[in-house]
Amino acid sequence: MIVDAFNGFRSKKFWLPSKYFSLNAFSLTVLTVSMKLPVDFTSSTQGNNDKLARVSSLVFMSTAMGNFVTSLGSMEDYDIVLNLAALGILVVTVAGNVCIHNAQMRGFLDVIGTLAEDIGSSVFMLLLLVTLCSSALMDPTAKKYIESGYQEMHKRVSNEKVDWGKFTINELRVVVRRYWVMAETGSPQFVVGRSVTCVMSGWMCLLMALTLLEAHIRVTLLYRSHCFVNVSSHYKWSINWILVIQSIGVVLGSIAPLLRWFIAVQFKSSKLSLRSFKEGFKVETYWTQTLVDWRDSPLSLQIRHYKCRKLVHDAKRLLLNFCIAVQIVIVLASKLVLLISAPCVYGILFCFQCIKNLKACDSSESRAGTELDFRQYVLLLESEPGLPEKMLTNICNEMDKLIQKGKKKIPKNLIKLLQRSVNFNGVREFDRGEIESLHTRDLPNCWSLPVVTLTSIAISLPNIKNHKAKQLLVRAVSEGLFFVKLIEKTLYSNGELESLRNTADVVWVGVELYKACPQGRTHKEMLQSLSSTAEKTVRDFVNGRDDVVMQNPLNWPVKIIAANSMYRITQTILLAHKDDDQLTDEKLFKLLSIMIADIIAACLTNLARVITLKCHRNAIKEREESIRQAALLLGESVEILEILQQLEIPNLDPEKAANIEDWRAYSEASASA
């Protein structure tokens, strides 16, 4: 619970989403263990610490349940039903045992001391269980409502998407911020966290914590001189540790419910004074829609007898009508607590505002004006007021911090390499069509495979005096492959070129970790040696093979695909420079470096599209994390995008721009024209 609170404070999500402490089997098991005292019939509670420890256990249970509320938003409906059923069994068992124990020990001093606290804690525990069930019933309908709003907003935003090759850094930042606001305000946990039931649960957790405090003070003062105070506990010295640990747990665990209570009141009551009292107590449809659907749905049981079927159906309707009435009562009670809590929250906010006004606030005022544009991307439920300005500011600031965090990881070596590219001719020049194919069907190309092949050739050149140049090239390509692989993974989602990408990964491990050994005294001898070895490897594999599967080059083993790429690229280099007797290893290394830079630069022109694609995910669970990655990626690639904007990017369709073969076809057509 305290780790969730720490993470919430660090990210300025003061509604404190549940990440580590949620309603699941592990948490319920630990809570069951901690409920040893309330369900123990065999031990007496004559000592002060025994009495207080029983109360602290009940209060701790209620505090844990208060922390469970937001975790319902990130759970599937089936998991919610199972975990709530398990929690209900535990709560009812504990409350029942407390009642039985108090009834059995009625009139004895070990019960009279904390009888009121025991009963009150049990009642509040049951009320928290009902509140959790109320939130769970609202959750499916609220998710559908928010998801519909997100999809509609996504259509509107996608119509204003950034065009490939025609983008600015500010445009990308605006796109990421729009989706960030949509994802954060539409987060299922945030939707539950700002609901009125969170007001109720936070308020009850506060009362429970005060109950424990009152019990500590009253029992210590009232029974200080009682003859049973010094009676030894059945739990001996451990009872003191149980009391201390659970009391600390109540204090720390109350942070999240109280902050959620505060945030929910701040959110829900931001326009309460502008609305009528009657409208403020309106029960929105998403609270009861699930129960109404269950009530009106046909029976799943196959009952042939008409009267029996009608009787069962009427009983089901009667039961669900009762549940709907209970749900309405809970919501109305929560809204009443909201109305009572609003003046307190307004008072606290007023004090903070007075302190804030004493400081210079020019920067915050200018920022508020720019963020008003993003209010239209806030996802809200029916009749919810607008998001408070401070919340929207924190949401946008968090995205800006992610971009700044990404800027700290700018690939400096890659940027130096990209600065060598003045055009994209290397995309066309690394492989020539007149090279003899080693198979009836040519292998297509992906971005990463020619890059790693060219790099392995470049660092294998025998007479390169500056070994630092090789090291810098390997580091730059390593940084570039991070972006290249990300682009391929995002844009080649059908897996068609997966074998080529896997080959590039395997080859790069050898290049990066083991480097390459020169295979000749001159670059021509080395290239000829590499070409001959690669050709022999491919021909030995292809000749005499009747396997239908292996007739498709994409099904070849990694070693054969790598050899085919090496053969074609080395033959292309030999053909391009066969009459150039003055070509030195140093010059060839420079030419290959420029060719590598051209290919990586051409691939990185798809970065803007990848960033925008990462902003949108249909799966709610993946949405926030995907946009987080997009913001970090934008920060890392700011200087890369600035370099690309200085180049003359061809007028290609975005779908074709993702494919290196389409780049090559366009480049060859432009060169011939």
Side-chain angles (χ1 to χ4, degrees):
M1 288 188 283
I2 195 61
V3 171
D4 280 338
F6 175 77
N7 285 335
F9 280 115
R10 186 178 62 176
S11 60
K12 290 191 175 181
K13 293 181 179 179
F14 296 117
W15 51 277
L16 305 186
S18 299
K19 184 177 181 181
Y20 298 100
F21 187 74
S22 58
L23 184 58
N24 53 42
F26 177 77
S27 300
L28 291 175
T29 304
V30 176
L31 281 176
T32 303
V33 174
S34 67
M35 291 298 106
K36 174 70 170 74
L37 287 175
V39 299
D40 189 0
F41 287 157
T42 62
S43 62
S44 62
T45 54
Q46 295 178 350
N48 285 354
N49 285 351
D50 291 86
K51 299 182 181 71
L52 291 174
R54 289 177 64 88
V55 177
S56 69
S57 296
L58 296 173
V59 174
F60 182 74
M61 180 69 186
S62 299
T63 304
M65 292 171 64
N67 280 267
F68 282 148
V69 177
T70 55
S71 67
L72 297 174
S74 57
M75 297 168 61
E76 299 295 334
D77 295 347
Y78 183 73
D79 294 330
I80 292 177
V81 173
L82 288 182
N83 288 310
L84 273 181
L87 179 64
I89 293 172
L90 174 60
V91 170
V92 172
T93 301
V94 171
N97 285 351
V98 170
C99 293
I100 294 172
H101 182 266
N102 287 332
Q104 287 180 342
M105 309 301 287
R106 183 178 57 185
F108 289 86
L109 290 174
D110 59 341
V111 174
I112 294 176
T114 56
L115 179 60
E117 286 83 358
D118 284 346
I119 295 176
S121 300
S122 300
V123 170
F124 274 111
M125 195 165 54
L126 292 170
L127 288 175
L128 273 168
L129 176 63
V130 176
T131 304
L132 275 171
C133 294
S134 175
S135 300
L137 289 170
M138 175 271 292
D139 184 62
T141 308
K143 282 181 180 178
K144 292 178 183 178
Y145 191 94
I146 289 292
E147 184 62 20
S148 298
Y150 174 85
Q151 295 298 338
E152 290 297 324
M153 207 167 288
H154 165 63
K155 291 179 182 179
R156 187 173 66 186
V157 173
S158 60
N159 292 332
E160 306 172 7
K161 63 183 179 180
V162 179
D163 293 331
W164 178 81
K166 301 176 182 178
F167 57 86
T168 64
I169 306 299
N170 288 333
E171 287 176 343
L172 285 175
R173 187 179 288 110
V174 168
V175 170
V176 175
R177 181 173 288 189
R178 286 171 176 172
Y179 279 101
W180 180 260
V181 171
M182 290 161 57
E184 288 295 298
T185 57
S187 168
Q189 286 207 30
F190 188 29
V191 172
V192 177
R194 65 187 189 235
S195 63
V196 291
T197 49
C198 252
V199 177
M200 175 67 83
S201 61
W203 177 71
M204 283 192 284
C205 286
L206 175 61
L207 291 181
M208 294 294 292
L210 294 176
T211 299
L212 181 60
L213 177 63
E214 178 271 337
H216 271 282
I217 296 173
R218 188 177 64 82
V219 171
T220 303
L221 295 177
L222 189 60
Y223 298 96
R224 180 183 301 173
S225 59
H226 201 276
C227 60
F228 291 115
V229 170
N230 297 321
V231 174
S232 177
S233 170
H234 288 185
Y235 292 93
K236 299 183 179 181
W237 58 266
S238 64
I239 196 69
N240 299 323
W241 282 105
I242 292 174
L243 177 59
V244 170
I245 291 173
Q246 290 189 342
S247 298
I248 294 174
V250 170
V251 173
L252 299 179
S254 298
I255 295 175
L258 289 179
L259 273 176
R260 291 167 188 163
W261 165 77
F262 183 83
I263 293 298
V265 172
Q266 181 188 6
F267 183 85
K268 293 292 183 180
S269 62
S270 58
K271 293 185 180 181
L272 194 61
S273 58
L274 302 179
R275 297 182 294 172
S276 64
F277 183 83
K278 182 178 179 181
E279 187 179 352
F281 279 88
K282 175 187 174 183
V283 178
E284 294 82 4
T285 56
Y286 55 81
W287 288 106
T288 58
Q289 188 62 49
T290 300
L291 291 171
V292 171
D293 292 341
W294 290 350
R295 182 193 64 186
D296 297 336
S297 62
L299 290 172
S300 58
L301 298 175
Q302 298 296 327
I303 303 176
R304 294 183 178 181
H305 197 278
Y306 171 76
K307 290 185 178 181
C308 290
R309 187 166 68 249
K310 184 177 183 298
L311 182 63
V312 173
H313 186 74
D314 290 342
K316 184 195 75 167
R317 288 183 61 86
L318 182 63
L319 176 63
L320 289 173
N321 280 331
F322 173 75
C323 293
I324 292 172
V326 173
Q327 177 79 332
I328 292 173
V329 169
I330 294 171
V331 175
L332 291 177
S334 301
K335 293 200 172 191
L336 180 60
V337 174
L338 167 66
L339 188 65
I340 297 173
S341 306
C344 301
V345 173
Y346 283 151
I348 297 173
L349 293 176
F350 179 76
C351 294
F352 278 112
Q353 188 64 36
C354 291
I355 297 173
K356 183 180 177 181
N357 290 338
L358 296 176
K359 302 177 181 179
C361 56
D362 294 338
S363 60
S364 63
E365 288 177 358
S366 61
R367 192 186 302 118
T370 59
E371 291 181 355
L372 290 176
D373 297 335
F374 293 95
R375 290 186 179 276
Q376 58 183 317
Y377 302 105
V378 175
L379 294 175
L380 300 170
L381 288 173
E382 176 190 353
S383 74
E384 275 193 325
L387 196 71
E389 181 180 336
K390 186 63 177 177
M391 287 189 190
L392 183 60
T393 301
N394 289 337
I395 289 173
C396 293
N397 287 345
E398 185 181 1
M399 191 274 296
D400 293 335
K401 289 180 181 178
L402 286 173
I403 295 178
Q404 293 300 323
K405 182 179 179 181
K407 285 183 178 180
K408 296 179 182 179
K409 300 179 181 179
I410 288 179
K412 297 179 181 179
N413 297 308
L414 174 61
I415 290 172
K416 291 180 182 178
L417 177 64
L418 292 178
Q419 288 172 345
R420 299 184 182 183
S421 176
V422 293
N423 50 47
F424 303 104
N425 290 339
V427 178
R428 180 183 74 252
E429 295 171 352
F430 80 87
D431 188 359
R432 289 193 175 185
E434 56 263 33
I435 302 298
E436 178 188 0
S437 296
L438 301 178
H439 191 261
T440 55
R441 295 175 60 181
D442 288 332
L443 263 171
N445 273 302
C446 67
W447 294 103
S448 53
L449 185 56
V451 168
V452 298
T453 305
L454 286 167
T455 306
S456 65
I457 294 172
I459 65 175
S460 299
L461 293 173
N463 299 315
I464 303 298
K465 298 179 181 179
N466 188 1
H467 292 287
K468 290 184 178 179
K470 293 184 178 181
Q471 295 175 2
L472 289 175
L473 180 62
V474 172
R475 292 174 188 171
V477 173
S478 179
E479 293 174 349
L481 283 176
F482 167 78
F483 296 97
V484 171
K485 291 176 183 177
L486 179 63
I487 291 170
E488 289 179 336
K489 184 178 179 181
T490 305
L491 301 182
Y492 298 165
S493 56
N494 57 3
E496 180 182 355
L497 303 179
E498 186 176 357
S499 58
L500 302 181
R501 303 205 305 271
N502 291 338
T503 301
D505 292 338
V506 173
V507 172
W508 184 246
V509 171
V511 173
E512 188 178 27
L513 299 183
Y514 305 106
K515 303 299 186 286
C517 299
Q519 300 187 18
R521 289 175 295 179
T522 65
H523 64 269
K524 287 188 177 181
E525 292 178 357
M526 183 213 69
L527 289 171
Q528 191 60 53
S529 174
L530 288 174
S531 177
S532 300
T533 304
E535 182 181 5
K536 184 178 184 302
T537 301
V538 177
R539 290 194 184 277
D540 289 345
F541 175 80
V542 173
N543 290 339
R545 181 172 288 273
D546 298 328
D547 192 347
V548 177
V549 176
M550 290 304 172
Q551 292 300 317
N552 184 357
L554 290 175
N555 296 326
W556 287 355
V558 167
K559 181 181 178 181
I560 308 304
I561 295 176
N564 184 79
S565 176
M566 178 64 73
Y567 165 76
R568 294 196 62 83
I569 291 179
T570 51
Q571 283 293 313
T572 298
I573 298 172
L574 288 170
L575 182 62
H577 303 286
K578 63 179 181 179
D579 298 327
D580 191 354
D581 297 329
Q582 296 182 354
L583 181 67
T584 63
D585 291 358
E586 293 282 350
K587 289 183 179 179
L588 181 57
F589 180 85
K590 184 178 180 180
L591 290 173
L592 293 177
S593 299
I594 295 174
M595 192 179 296
I596 293 169
D598 287 344
I599 297 173
I600 295 178
C603 178
L604 295 185
T605 56
N606 295 285
L607 262 179
R609 185 177 171 216
V610 169
I611 292 173
T612 55
L613 287 175
K614 274 191 165 295
C615 288
H616 171 64
R617 280 290 184 273
N618 284 322
I620 299 177
K621 291 183 177 180
E622 302 174 0
R623 195 169 291 163
E624 185 176 350
E625 182 59 30
S626 182
I627 300 176
R628 188 181 298 274
Q629 293 175 4
L632 289 170
L633 180 61
L634 176 58
E636 292 180 45
S637 56
V638 165
E639 292 191 20
I640 296 174
L641 295 172
E642 290 175 350
I643 293 174
L644 296 178
Q645 287 176 346
Q646 298 172 5
L647 301 176
E648 186 178 350
I649 300 177
N651 188 19
L652 275 172
D653 182 82
E655 295 295 331
K656 293 184 177 181
N659 193 316
I660 190 173
E661 296 293 350
D662 290 324
W663 265 87
R664 287 171 50 76
Y666 179 88
S667 182
E668 290 173 359
S670 300
S672 60

